[in-house]
Amino acid sequence: MLKIGVLGSGQGSNFQSIYDAIAAGTLDAEIRCVAADVPDAYILERARRLGIAAEFIDCAPFKTKIEGAGARRMLDFLAAHDVDFVALAGFMRIVKEPLLSAFPERMVNIHPALLPAFPGLASWKQALEYGAKLAGCTVHFIDAGMDTGPIIVQRAVAVRDDDTAETLHARIQVEEHIAYPEALRLIAAGRVTVEGRRVRIGAAQEL
Ligand code: GRF
């Protein structure tokens, strides 16, 4: 069973989708704790209401990365809650040392685009402005780059002529909430192996 620590900065709808999959019995995992780098992030409130340990972790002096003392504070928090797997869910920082190396092939992220297209911020907006006909989301392992790690699951969304950034993002989020539990389910079942950039999904075990 995965003992997950969830890291977020915002609403926490992806955290909720993971929680719901576990509660529904479709994901063999436990969310041990939730951490946010923003003190009033709604993800903390959501977690506390569900009885999950949730804390603000100060990542200062950096604004766009977690590194050094902040990363050590995060590691201490995750260790205190016996976490063996980290899921970034709307966590708006690049992961640096010593956090980066602490969970080899045990740290994943969800990104609101079909990577490698549109890494970085507000990717749904980037896709719309570029004129892409397909948008979507990607669950990937974390590596040293920004949104560059090996891809586990992707789900596509057709861009409509009348889409705004908001309507497109909303449809992408519907797919995110399917993709994230699906990726974790594959990992929890031991079906995921990483071979360089490629993630292979093994056959389901016969019961
Ligand atoms: C999602 O769109 C995710 O892909 C991106 O940030 C957003 C987080 O949403 N990285 P939430 O906090 O899970 O609701």
Side-chain angles (χ1 to χ4, degrees), residues 6-17 42-43 46 88-92 109-113 120 122-124 136-138 147 169 172-173 176-177 180:
V6 177
L7 276 52
S9 306
Q11 289 298 308
S13 68
N14 281 286
F15 152 70
Q16 185 77 51
S17 74
Y42 185 59
I43 190 172
R46 268 191 209 256
L88 308 189
F91 186 65
M92 304 302 284
N109 179 44
I110 186 148
H111 181 76
S123 307
W124 59 89
C137 64
T138 302
D147 305 322
H169 189 210
I172 291 171
Q173 285 226 290
E176 290 185 1
H177 301 156
Y180 219 158

Side-chain angles (χ1 to χ4, degrees), residues 54-134:
E55 247 180 58
F56 161 65
I57 304 292
D58 190 355
C59 297
F62 307 115
K63 288 200 172 0
T64 58
K65 62 182 179 177
I66 177 167
E67 185 171 28
R72 280 190 290 278
R73 283 191 283 276
M74 184 65 81
L75 282 172
D76 289 346
F77 176 67
L78 297 173
H81 293 281
D82 193 25
V83 163
D84 67 9
F85 190 94
V86 174
L88 308 189
F91 186 65
M92 304 302 284
R93 285 173 188 266
I94 298 175
V95 177
K96 304 272 192 188
E97 299 299 352
L99 182 57
L100 179 61
S101 303
F103 295 91
E105 291 181 12
R106 304 285 285 176
M107 188 169 0
V108 297
N109 179 44
I110 186 148
H111 181 76
L114 294 175
L115 291 170
F118 312 123
L121 296 176
S123 307
W124 59 89
K125 212 164 157 240
Q126 293 187 53
L128 193 64
E129 283 167 5
Y130 192 88
K133 296 295 186 194
L134 280 179

